[in-house]
Amino acid sequence: MTEMRLADFIEHNAEAILGQAVAFAETQAPPGTAFSTKELRNHLPQILQAVVVDLRTPQTALQQQVKSEGRAPAVTGPETAATYHGRTRAIAGFGINQMVAEYRALRASVLRLWAADAALVVDSIGDVLRFNEAIDQAVAESLAEFSREVESWRQIFLGTLGHDLRGPLAAVVFSADALAEDLGSGAHAQQLDRIINGGLRMTRLLDDLLEYSRSKLGDGMLIRREEADLGTALGEEAELLRAALPRTQIRLAAAGDTRGQFDASRLREAVHNLASNAAKYGDAGTPVDIRVHGHAGAITITVSNAGPDLDDEALRVMFDPLRRGSRSASQGEHASLGLGLFLVREITRAHGGSVEAASNDGTTTFSITLPRNT
């Protein structure tokens, strides 16, 4: 029997290897999904060929270590068979475990047939190591693309849901508002007021959801720059906050030249989110301070409040979407999506600025730094 290296064996036995892998893939297809043999093996031959090329490519000891530890350089250039495989499996409805199981079956098919053929040579152990590394690299590429595709469709779903809910919700708020005008201060005026306020809050949450979905899909936050004085704009927002938060003292201080090219409406939204969070999670009865300060090339906005210090972990995930600090659970915020601080970060980034949070000595402060862009 002629002995051969693993790369040669794979090429000579590609049909048998693929036959076993496809038979296994058929067992992994989602319920109710029918795949043809051609569809199931659409990328596997290219993946196998990439493995063969990898096995025949010279590799230093350092390159082997880097690859075995999952630190191989990211693939650049045209889409690989593995990334295409991951994306199409996601579109077809495969679960992540089902997709990875295909690679396990492909690996097992190769090694089982090779061992049964007894076509082993002195370098077999090295070939097996290289083969496993090549398969693992393909798995990593497929997983990355699979995850991106799934996340993309998740955000499309959230965006569509948020958009479609706005119409019925607007009708509810409009109808309640019309009834409130007719009834005046009648018996059900308080209930109608709750419906209107609840509807408006839900509308704001849907707006946040749409912005979140747009940002996660890669479109980023949309802003419209124009000449604006942030001292004046945030002064107007402070008045609205005082009306919305009658139990909280809102203090505003402005200094220096606060003019520049900004989307003042978006920045007012960011400050509103920060101040509302400060009032909600800070110590009751303590003021919320908003300061805007113009410097030579930038403008800083800070929002601070008194309250227990936040730990490093809370500060680290503060701006992550759908995450909240530990105090929220005790204040009935389970229903909130927790997008406010995420949107603050996206608004700031869209302006080319940065936002940071610090918490010490009983004071939590959010600081936004914006280039003036005059």
Side-chain angles (χ1 to χ4, degrees), residues 9 28 126 131-132 148 282 313 373:
F9 179 83
Q28 299 299 300
F131 172 71
N132 283 330
R148 277 192 291 268
E313 174 63 16
N373 291 323

Side-chain angles (χ1 to χ4, degrees), residues 205-206 208-209 320-324 333-340:
L205 288 173
L206 288 177
D208 287 352
L209 181 61
D320 290 350
L322 311 183
R323 298 288 292 272
R324 282 192 174 272
E333 288 300 307
H334 298 290
S336 176
L337 289 173
L339 297 176

Side-chain angles (χ1 to χ4, degrees), residues 129-183:
L129 291 175
R130 289 290 305 274
F131 172 71
N132 283 330
E133 291 163 5
I135 287 292
D136 288 341
Q137 179 66 24
V139 170
E141 293 175 15
S142 286
L143 280 175
E145 192 62 30
F146 183 97
S147 299
R148 277 192 291 268
E149 186 67 25
V150 169
E151 180 63 19
S152 174
W153 282 106
R154 181 181 292 119
Q155 299 313 322
I156 290 173
F157 168 76
L158 288 175
T160 302
L161 177 65
H163 183 272
D164 289 350
L165 285 175
R166 286 174 61 87
L169 184 57
V172 170
V173 173
F174 176 80
S175 299
D177 193 47
L179 285 172
E181 288 186 4
D182 290 341
L183 294 176

Side-chain angles (χ1 to χ4, degrees), residues 227-280:
E227 185 66 27
D229 186 333
L230 292 186
T232 301
L234 296 185
E236 295 171 356
E237 189 61 34
E239 288 299 320
L240 293 179
L241 283 165
R242 292 180 185 115
L245 304 168
R247 293 188 177 89
T248 301
Q249 183 183 4
I250 305 294
R251 303 190 301 200
L252 173 74
D257 184 1
T258 57
R259 295 171 299 173
Q261 293 288 325
F262 305 108
D263 187 329
S265 177
R266 286 294 193 191
L267 290 171
R268 286 179 60 165
E269 177 186 352
V271 170
H272 185 100
N273 287 344
L274 291 175
S276 297
N277 270 12
K280 186 180 299 182

Side-chain angles (χ1 to χ4, degrees), residues 6 15 62 68 80 96 135 141 149 193 261 294 337 340 354:
L6 182 53
E15 285 305 313
L62 178 59
S68 66
T80 67
I96 194 167
I135 287 292
E141 293 175 15
E149 186 67 25
D193 189 53
Q261 293 288 325
L337 289 173
S354 61

